[in-house]
Structures are given as C-alpha cells and as structure tokens.
C-alpha cells in the first residue's frame, strides 16, 4: 500500500497531538522551521499541512506570532449551499429564545420586507453548539410579516425562554401558501451591542460577523428577515461555489 504524501502524514500527526491534549486550546504549535528540522521535511510540505489544519478549524494563525491549537469542536463550522442547509441548523445546534415572538414597530425591517406599514413580528434568539450546556455562537433577530407570524404566534418554540432544535423558517414554512425558494444574503463586519454581548458571552464592542438573510417564497414575496451576529471565535462560515453548467 502506497504511503500517504508527507504533508498528509504530518497533518494527521498534528491532528492526533491536538486531540490527545499535547497542544491544548490556545497553545502554540511548533514553528514551520522547527517542524522542518524535526521531521526532515521541506518548508512547503509543512506549510501545506498547516494550511489544511487552518481550513479544518483545528488551528489558527496569528501573523508574527505563530500557529495555535483550537480544540476539535471549539468552533462551529457550517457549510451552506441551499435553503435545506439553512433549515438543517436544527440538526446540530440548539435554539434558545431570548425574547419571544412579538408585534412591534420597526421601520427598517418593514421596509426590507416590503410591507405597506411599519409593523413586524420579531423574535430574538441565540444558537448554541455542543452539549452540557452548549456554546453560544450567534444572536439572531428574526422579523416576520403579519401573515407569516399569525399561524405561529402560539408556537411554544417561539416563546420567552423556549429551548428547542427548531428553526424559524422550519416552523413558518408549512403555513405558507408557497414554499421558500430564495435567501438573499449579505455579510458584513459589525460590533456587539449590549444584547449581542450578553447573549454570546463577549464584551460590548467586540468584532462580530453580521449576516443578513432575506427569505422569499416562490412568488418572490419576502417572508422573513433574519439579522445574525456571529462570534468569530466560535463560528466558521463556509460556502462551496460551483461553476454553472
């Protein structure tokens, strides 16, 4: 049986060292030069192994300082490519409702949902990954038009303090006249306000990844606006892009 390429063997050895606790979370790994000397490998081979570990979320690099271990499972990784992927967040995360679904005036959200008035229904939630009790990685404010919110106003999953493995679109879509077929997404950088900071366990003003998604049904009608603030230390966002046929 042919031996794996040298970079793969080194990558696996470093994986095993991290998993065994030889490099606990936040501890610096050997430098490229140290690994070159220790294993008799080329610098390019070592660099490729590090690049793969960074892509997997097992280590992170600090320019001018080195490469540091991140324990497996420390950061939540989600690869998205479809509406179904967004709905499947319920498969491996927990939704905790901080402020239950309520009617409120929000001019900006109503405008983005293309409503005739300024009234929306909003639920504020956070998501956690892992167990006992789980690590919070995002606060999301979900805004719904009246016709979307009405059928789920009494849903226990959307009440104050509710904990479930649901998603808001998973709860609302069965009541829509047409299925959700599109999510227009924008990604920017923001800072944590007091509510976000409390929910995710960071300091106010901490840099956050902001993801806005506007969901529309098959007729092109907006049915949900979700504004999420992700904690970068706890979340990796990955999208696969394919060439159209």
């Amino acid at each position: 049986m042919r031996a794996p390429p040298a970079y793969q063997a080194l990558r696996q050895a470093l994986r095993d060292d991290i998993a065994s606790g030889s490099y606990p979370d936040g501890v610096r790994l050997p430098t490229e030069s140290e690994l070159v000397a220790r294993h008799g490998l080329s610098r390019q081979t070592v660099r490729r192994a590090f690049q793969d570990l960074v892509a997997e979320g097992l280590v992170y690099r600090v320019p001018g300082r080195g490469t540091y271990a991140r324990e497996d499972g420390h950061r939540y990784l989600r690869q998205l490519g479809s509406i179904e992927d967004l709905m499947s967040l319920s498969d491996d995360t927990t939704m905790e409702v901080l402020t239950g679904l309520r009617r409120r005036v929000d001019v900006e959200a109503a405008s983005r949902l293309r409503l005739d008035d300024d009234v929306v229904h909003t639920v504020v939630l956070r998501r956690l990954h892992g167990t006992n009790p789980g690590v919070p990685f995002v606060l999301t404010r979900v805004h719904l038009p009246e016709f979307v919110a009405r059928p789920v106003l009494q849903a226990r999953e959307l009440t104050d303090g509710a904990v479930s493995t649901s998603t808001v679109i998973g709860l609302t879509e069965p009541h829509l006249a047409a299925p959700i077929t599109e999510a227009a997404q924008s990604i920017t950088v923001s800072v944590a306000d007091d509510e976000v900071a409390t929910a995710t366990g960071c300091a106010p003003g901490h840099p956050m990844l902001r993801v806005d998604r506007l969901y529309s049904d098959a007729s092109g009608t907006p049915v949900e606006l979700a504004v999420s603030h992700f904690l970068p230390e706890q979340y990796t966002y990955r999208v696969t892009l394919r060439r159209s046929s």
Side-chain angles (χ1 to χ4, degrees):
M1 184 176 179
R2 181 182 299 176
Y7 79 88
Q8 291 184 7
L10 177 60
R11 180 185 65 197
Q12 187 58 51
L14 292 172
R15 276 186 192 143
D16 293 343
D17 287 342
I18 293 170
S20 68
S22 297
Y23 300 110
D25 185 51
V27 170
R28 186 177 67 82
L29 272 68
T31 65
E32 290 183 3
S33 296
E34 289 169 340
L35 290 172
V36 166
R38 183 181 303 172
H39 297 281
L41 301 171
S42 70
R43 187 172 295 273
Q44 182 60 35
T45 295
V46 173
R47 186 168 297 138
R48 172 62 190 275
F50 271 152
Q51 287 172 341
D52 284 5
L53 293 174
V54 169
E56 293 172 9
L58 290 180
V59 302
Y60 60 96
R61 312 197 82 166
V62 179
R65 293 177 57 191
T67 303
Y68 294 80
R70 176 181 286 121
E71 290 177 353
D72 189 20
H74 178 71
R75 173 180 287 207
Y76 180 63
L77 170 65
R78 165 58 63 173
Q79 182 154 326
L80 301 173
S82 67
I83 299 295
E84 287 76 18
D85 288 341
L86 292 171
M87 290 184 171
S88 70
L89 282 170
S90 59
D91 292 345
D92 55 4
T93 68
T94 301
M95 180 175 78
E96 180 182 339
V97 175
L98 305 179
T99 304
L101 186 61
R102 289 180 174 79
R103 187 177 186 271
R104 63 194 293 263
V105 173
D106 190 315
V107 176
E108 180 183 357
S111 175
R112 296 178 67 181
L113 286 165
R114 303 205 303 265
L115 302 179
D116 293 332
D117 56 28
D118 299 331
V119 176
V120 297
H121 285 73
T122 300
V123 58
V124 181
L125 58 95
R126 69 175 180 174
R127 283 198 170 275
L128 303 92
H129 70 91
T131 57
N132 299 324
V135 179
F137 64 95
V138 60
L139 178 132
T140 301
R141 300 176 178 107
V142 177
H143 309 285
L144 304 173
E146 166 70 27
F147 76 93
V148 176
R150 191 182 308 115
V152 294
L153 282 174
Q154 304 304 316
R156 59 180 178 81
E157 295 92 342
L158 299 179
T159 57
D160 290 356
V163 176
S164 70
T165 57
S166 304
T167 61
V168 177
I169 54 175
L171 293 169
T172 59
E173 189 180 42
H175 303 283
L176 299 178
I180 295 172
T181 58
E182 180 180 281
Q185 177 172 277
S186 64
I187 302 176
T188 55
V189 175
S190 65
V191 296
D193 61 21
D194 289 342
E195 184 177 38
V196 170
T198 299
T200 59
C202 68
H206 187 77
M208 307 294 289
L209 180 69
R210 171 171 168 162
V211 179
D212 291 27
R213 294 191 185 107
L214 181 64
Y215 296 88
S216 300
D217 67 15
S219 70
T221 301
V223 295
E224 177 185 319
L225 171 65
V227 180
S228 299
H229 292 80
F230 291 92
L231 187 63
E233 294 90 334
Q234 297 292 349
Y235 181 76
T236 296
Y237 181 86
R238 182 176 294 172
V239 176
T240 299
L241 303 176
R242 296 183 176 88
R243 186 183 295 274
S244 59
S245 56

